[in-house]
Amino acid sequence: VGLRGGWRALLALGLLRVTCAEGAIPGELRTIGLRSVDDGTAVVLRLSRPATPQVAVVRGEDGALRRLHLDLPSRTTVAAGALGGGAAERPVASVRVGVVDGDHPRIVVDLDGATDYRVARDDAHATITLTVVGPKEPGASAAEHPLRKGGRRPDAPVKIVLDPGHGGDDPGAEGFAVEKAVTLDIAERLATLLRNRLGAEVVLTRDGDDTLALKERTARANAEGADLFVSIHANANTTGRLQGIETYYLDNSTDHATLRLAQMENGLDLLKPRPGEASLRYILSDLVQVGKLDESVRLARQIQRGLVGHLRREYTGVVDLGVKRGPFYVLVGAYMPCVLVETAFISHPIEGRRLARGVYRRDVAQGLFDGIARYLRDGSRRRTL
Ligand SMILES: [Zn+2]
């Protein structure tokens, strides 16, 4: 964290919650359209008001993407003729709409050769765009079309982007150590473990004491076509009494402690917007990545479990603060499962001093590795079931 921020940040987050709140008035799904895009086909939903979809993935026995379910909020109605007569185009095979348990609409997208997908919300126009990535020509296999986003082959080793929090002009939290230094050290140790033991391809958003805007961090992960994004931080509070480990996934939250933490983590960019850079509010409301939420939650749980489990074997008094959701700017816009982990409180007399020691940072890296490895193992087991 960085002890910056202030009322402007809190105000922006407050406004955002009002903007995004899905209140008592049910919305209407007006049209479902299909559009050809560079790397596949986009399914565009137009609604009467902004809505948050829940996305579920159905895979075949071979692990291939077969179908996507996109559920709209409870009581959303569907306009007559919303599903136009347009023909589907690969990698979309067909689009259907139904109502689940008399409660909410589900858009079912059957897939043909899809290699990936992403979901974006544009709240200004009340649209949700589900982009299905894959080859367009019939009969073409994924192997003949190796280009995923970032130009990766589908059989490439897992690619993980690690984001050491803060850096350069932004030291982050300062207590018994400096956050920007410990996050880089942990990320470097973790990268070595992931490369050596999993054969993973690992990219760090910074490998020195560089200043990096928050949005450049996920932009890097997207450009790399990464499979996972993990942002590494250390926590702080003014009394020095708090301690523990917590892992976050991206969501808007009404929890005040979380908002305060998010305010600190987001502070630098919010208070010093670069010329031409969109504000947090603009980006959150206009491009909220929601497609990989389930996977982000699963990744957050495994990382939290791995880190707490490993540290408890080595140290006493390790506090598990759990998996939480929060409005972290650094996670906005990522197309892959993404989490932010607060490894320890740098301001706590015991945890902070531990964090200042290389042996503890080695153990933190090992715990993070355990969690990521378990996440990937469970994921491949699911695909082969
Ligand atoms: Zn931080």
Side-chain angles (χ1 to χ4, degrees):
V1 301
L3 294 173
R4 300 172 193 240
W7 288 108
R8 282 174 57 194
L10 204 57
L11 191 65
L13 292 166
L15 287 171
L16 171 82
R17 294 210 330 267
V18 174
T19 315
C20 292
E22 278 147 25
I25 314 156
E28 182 188 51
L29 173 59
R30 292 185 168 156
T31 63
I32 304 172
L34 286 161
R35 194 177 68 222
S36 184
V37 294
D38 283 351
D39 56 350
T41 298
V43 179
V44 183
L45 311 183
R46 292 188 187 284
L47 295 117
S48 60
R49 59 201 304 277
T52 306
Q54 297 290 325
V55 181
V57 183
V58 180
R59 290 181 186 271
E61 286 179 7
D62 54 355
L65 289 167
R66 287 290 157 76
R67 194 178 302 141
L68 294 166
H69 290 172
L70 201 143
D71 286 14
L72 293 172
S74 184
R75 298 193 294 137
T76 302
T77 57
V78 181
L83 191 56
E89 186 186 339
R90 282 175 58 94
V92 170
S94 66
V95 180
R96 299 170 278 149
V97 60
V99 176
V100 180
D101 300 332
D103 178 67
H104 62 269
R106 169 174 293 172
I107 293 86
V108 179
V109 181
D110 291 304
L111 306 173
D112 182 6
T115 55
D116 201 0
Y117 70 96
R118 56 182 185 265
V119 182
R121 252 171 68 175
D122 177 350
D123 284 355
H125 301 99
T127 60
I128 297 166
T129 303
L130 167 67
T131 303
V132 179
V133 178
K136 298 179 184 189
E137 297 80 11
S141 76
E144 289 161 341
H145 287 262
L147 293 185
R148 282 167 48 172
K149 196 169 177 62
R152 294 184 56 221
R153 297 177 57 86
D155 57 353
V158 63
K159 190 167 193 173
I160 300 169
V161 169
L162 300 179
D163 175 44
H166 312 274
D169 296 343
D170 172 20
E174 289 168 288
F176 294 91
V178 180
E179 185 181 2
K180 68 174 182 180
V182 301
T183 57
L184 180 58
D185 184 69
I186 292 168
E188 284 171 341
R189 290 168 188 271
L190 176 57
T192 303
L193 291 172
L194 292 166
R195 286 179 187 126
N196 292 350
R197 299 205 200 157
L198 292 182
E201 196 177 334
V202 184
V203 175
L204 268 62
T205 53
R206 63 179 178 96
D207 53 14
D209 187 19
D210 310 313
T211 305
L212 207 59
L214 292 175
K215 80 172 191 182
E216 291 174 47
R217 299 171 189 258
T218 44
R220 178 73 188 276
N222 287 337
E224 295 279 354
D227 298 298
L228 302 178
F229 177 84
V230 179
S231 190
I232 299 168
H233 290 257
N235 218 329
N237 84 312
T238 47
T239 67
R241 288 195 197 116
L242 294 183
Q243 62 178 310
I245 299 161
E246 54 195 8
T247 307
Y248 285 86
Y249 58 91
L250 174 68
D251 209 336
N252 297 325
S253 174
T254 53
D255 179 87
H256 285 284
T258 304
L259 276 179
R260 221 180 108 68
L261 173 62
Q263 178 193 345
M264 290 192 289
E265 294 292 15
N266 294 332
L268 188 74
D269 274 39
L270 278 180
L271 294 179
K272 292 182 186 169
R274 293 178 178 190
E277 221 175 53
S279 73
L280 171 68
R281 188 175 162 230
Y282 176 85
I283 289 178
L284 276 180
S285 61
D286 282 350
L287 187 72
V288 176
Q289 209 285 323
V290 288
K292 302 281 166 66
L293 183 60
D294 287 356
E295 288 296 291
S296 293
V297 173
R298 197 165 72 77
L299 176 62
R301 286 194 182 127
Q302 293 293 14
I303 282 183
Q304 179 73 14
R305 190 176 146 197
L307 192 49
V308 170
H310 184 75
L311 291 177
R312 279 193 175 155
R313 283 196 287 279
E314 310 285 331
Y315 302 88
T316 56
V318 174
V319 176
D320 182 356
L321 297 173
V323 167
K324 300 173 178 178
R325 44 190 219 166
F328 291 99
Y329 184 109
V330 73
L331 302 178
V332 171
Y335 290 149
M336 70 290 305
C338 55
V339 302
L340 181 148
V341 53
E342 295 282 359
T343 52
F345 275 78
I346 212 164
S347 50
H348 187 269
I350 296 171
E351 265 187 9
R353 286 197 180 95
R354 282 178 180 167
L355 208 49
R357 296 173 56 215
V359 65
Y360 188 78
R361 297 195 296 270
R362 183 200 68 195
D363 287 326
V364 168
Q366 179 64 51
L368 293 170
F369 171 83
D370 290 351
I372 292 170
R374 197 178 293 129
Y375 168 86
L376 293 170
R377 214 161 45 229
D378 288 356
S380 62
R381 192 180 305 136
R382 282 180 180 199
R383 281 194 292 279
T384 53
L385 278 180

